[in-house]
Amino acid sequence: MAHYGQPAHPYPGHHQDPGARTSNGLAIAALVLGIAACVFFWTVFGGIVLGLVGLVLGIVAARRARGGRAPHRGMAIVGAVLSALAVIASAVIVAIGVSFLTSDSFKDYNDCVQHADNQSERDQCSEDFERDVNNN
């Protein structure tokens, strides 16, 4: 028989309350990955891959904490937010890079450099490219 204030043990030898909160390693992992993703957002691996993993872990950890099964809900949320910001920043950088590499000015520059026979012709390609970019 359980006394007031003490949890009832459903069977002999059971020493842990089934509703007890366990540690939330996912929240810690989400925070660490979120910080790393923010530091390395300028790389595809750092910003997108670490950011997506940190975002998923942060959401899972926050849901566990909200359900009362784990602590550190705030840490999980911060990890998810940092990860999301890193993913967004990295996606913007990738989009800018792709648009630059597929632009007509860059294609013209690339063709010019490939057909240049010496350094002075490559230098002229660079000057033409700068002029095209600055005029547009």
Side-chain angles (χ1 to χ4, degrees):
M1 173 180 234
H3 299 304
Y4 180 74
Q6 294 179 346
H9 298 295
Y11 51 87
H14 182 76
H15 299 290
Q16 182 179 2
D17 182 14
R21 294 174 8 158
T22 60
S23 67
N24 197 354
L26 292 178
I28 296 167
L31 183 62
V32 169
L33 288 174
I35 292 169
C38 283
V39 170
F40 297 109
F41 77 94
W42 49 273
T43 66
V44 172
F45 177 77
I48 295 178
V49 175
L50 293 179
L52 287 176
V53 173
L55 181 62
V56 169
L57 291 179
I59 291 170
V60 170
R63 292 191 72 190
R64 281 187 182 177
R66 184 178 65 195
R69 296 185 314 256
H72 308 301
R73 182 172 184 219
M75 189 183 299
I77 291 171
V78 170
V81 168
L82 288 175
S83 297
L85 290 174
V87 168
I88 291 168
S90 187
V92 167
I93 288 175
V94 167
I96 290 170
V98 167
S99 68
F100 175 74
L101 293 176
T102 59
S103 69
D104 290 335
S105 297
F106 184 76
K107 287 179 183 176
D108 292 343
Y109 169 74
N110 196 25
D111 288 340
C112 181
V113 169
Q114 287 180 356
H115 294 100
D117 293 328
N118 55 38
Q119 185 61 39
S120 64
E121 289 179 2
R122 286 192 279 282
D123 291 341
Q124 185 61 43
C125 292
S126 296
E127 290 172 14
D128 292 343
F129 177 70
E130 278 186 46
R131 188 177 54 246
D132 288 345
V133 170
N134 290 333
N135 289 336
N136 291 332

